[in-house]
Amino acid sequence: MIVRQFINWIRTAPAGERADATRALARAWLISDLSDDDRTAAEGALLMLLDDPSPLVRQAMAEVFARSTEAPAAIVQALSVDQPSIALPVLEHSPLLIDADLVDIVATGSDEMQCAIARRINLPPSVSAAIAEVGSAAAALELIENPYADLPPFSWDRIVERHGHLAAIRESMLQLEDLPSATRMALVAKLSDTLAQFVVARNWLGADRAGRIANEARERSTVNIAAQSFGDDMRGLITHLRATGQLTAGLILRALLSGNLDLFSAALAELSGLPHGRVSALLNDRGGNGLQALLIRAGLPESTYAAFRVALEASHEVGFVDTGDGAARLHRRMVERVLTHCETDRSAAEPLLILLRRFATESAREDARMFCEELVAEDAIAPQPYDDLIAA
């Protein structure tokens, strides 16, 4: 038998020749018309070679069997838990590994092995969830960039929780068009916290001021993200904001003053427990009683009722504000109208006035920035004096 001769020869052959011969035998197993006796003998020889002291031999088997559905299952299983240089092609490509095998290797394998699994085509949710739960940052990055990975929503949040402080993870996730808004918001919160901790550590800002600036940045990002969220995505964002303590009166007022009535009504529906249709009806009650009843049920501070009423009246007049780039921003005229009313209202609370003054400053600076950008754009397309001379 040829296989018997192979076994006798391989005992004394150099490692490189053993690897070449093993590769040939593995290919013969897949494509040659071997008799039953020869196939049994060949499988026995290949199983024996799993104990070969040279990794070159096992690498040769892994290269041949990695993508095959006809490879011996026991050999593929053994190769998948070998040292990384041998296991990687099998982990990334073999169709013979079941989900349970992959989950176990994610839990016990090296970073390289986790990354190989994360690159698999049609990666099932259970394996994706395992990588999100215990995988390294490098494996999480491979998972994010794998268009064939089926990742459950809770796994996105787990990646943010474990690795959201890393810039590479944030950048890769934020480039995904179908990333849930709640997850996008969690990434923004991670970034805000990271930057706040950085400037405090450098003694550039005090902890309180850095925290306030980070909170304002989160609120601006929330309104921007919400401007592109609809249906279940919007509801998921609102649920996330409430669970993380970010669904505050200040954020809801910002949403209204930005013209984002969808975020405003969704927030009130979440806090009041009323259906969206009922909330919309109360908001459209021009008498004002419906809004106050809704604010009371939502548990918002009484000192904010007048600000919400004036802001809602202004929003009915102005409508939704679109900056042209898909992000909602504070509407200066609405903010100034609410601020003027509250400054003449003796019952207005000082914290509300401070918040509205900050909104007024922010909206004024944003208007100035956009005005200057428009001037620069007009200058860029306007004919220069020497162009007129040439044309003449």
Side-chain angles (χ1 to χ4, degrees), residues 175-349:
Q175 290 176 2
L176 300 174
E177 294 182 359
D178 58 347
L179 186 70
S181 292
T183 303
R184 197 176 294 274
M185 192 62 237
L187 282 171
V188 170
K190 279 283 187 179
L191 176 59
S192 298
D193 292 341
T194 300
L195 292 177
Q197 292 170 11
F198 177 77
V199 297
V200 170
R202 292 297 185 96
N203 292 321
W204 292 345
L205 290 174
D208 291 341
R209 179 166 173 76
R212 180 172 63 81
I213 292 174
N215 183 63
E216 291 175 354
R218 278 195 297 269
E219 289 188 350
R220 286 194 295 271
S221 297
T222 300
V223 177
N224 291 339
I225 292 171
Q228 303 173 53
S229 305
F230 308 95
D232 290 340
D233 196 31
M234 171 68 84
R235 286 188 284 273
L237 174 61
I238 294 296
T239 300
H240 167 80
L241 292 172
R242 186 177 190 182
T244 55
Q246 297 179 69
L247 198 59
T248 62
L251 173 62
I252 298 171
L253 183 59
R254 175 187 283 274
L256 181 55
L257 291 172
S258 300
N260 195 329
L261 297 179
D262 289 339
L263 176 58
F264 176 63
S265 60
L268 292 181
E270 173 71 22
L271 292 175
S272 66
L274 295 174
H276 288 269
R278 179 59 177 159
V279 170
S280 297
L282 291 172
L283 293 180
N284 288 320
D285 177 13
R286 298 303 176 95
N289 294 329
L291 174 64
Q292 182 163 331
L294 184 58
L295 296 175
I296 293 172
R297 179 158 182 147
L300 296 180
E302 184 178 355
S303 59
T304 64
Y305 293 174
F308 278 114
R309 176 177 55 78
V310 176
L312 185 60
E313 291 172 356
S315 72
H316 287 315
E317 298 173 8
V318 176
F320 179 75
V321 182
D322 190 354
T323 63
D325 59 0
R329 61 183 178 85
L330 288 167
H331 191 287
R332 185 176 181 182
R333 191 173 68 182
M334 290 174 63
V335 172
E336 290 177 347
R337 180 169 168 177
V338 175
L339 177 58
T340 300
H341 174 84
C342 290
E343 284 178 334
T344 58
D345 183 358
R346 294 183 178 180
S347 63

Side-chain angles (χ1 to χ4, degrees), residues 322-324 329 366-382:
D322 190 354
T323 63
R329 61 183 178 85
E366 184 66 17
D367 275 4
R369 182 188 65 80
M370 294 187 66
F371 174 74
C372 292
E373 288 179 353
E374 290 172 359
L375 288 180
V376 172
E378 291 174 0
D379 288 343
I381 61 176

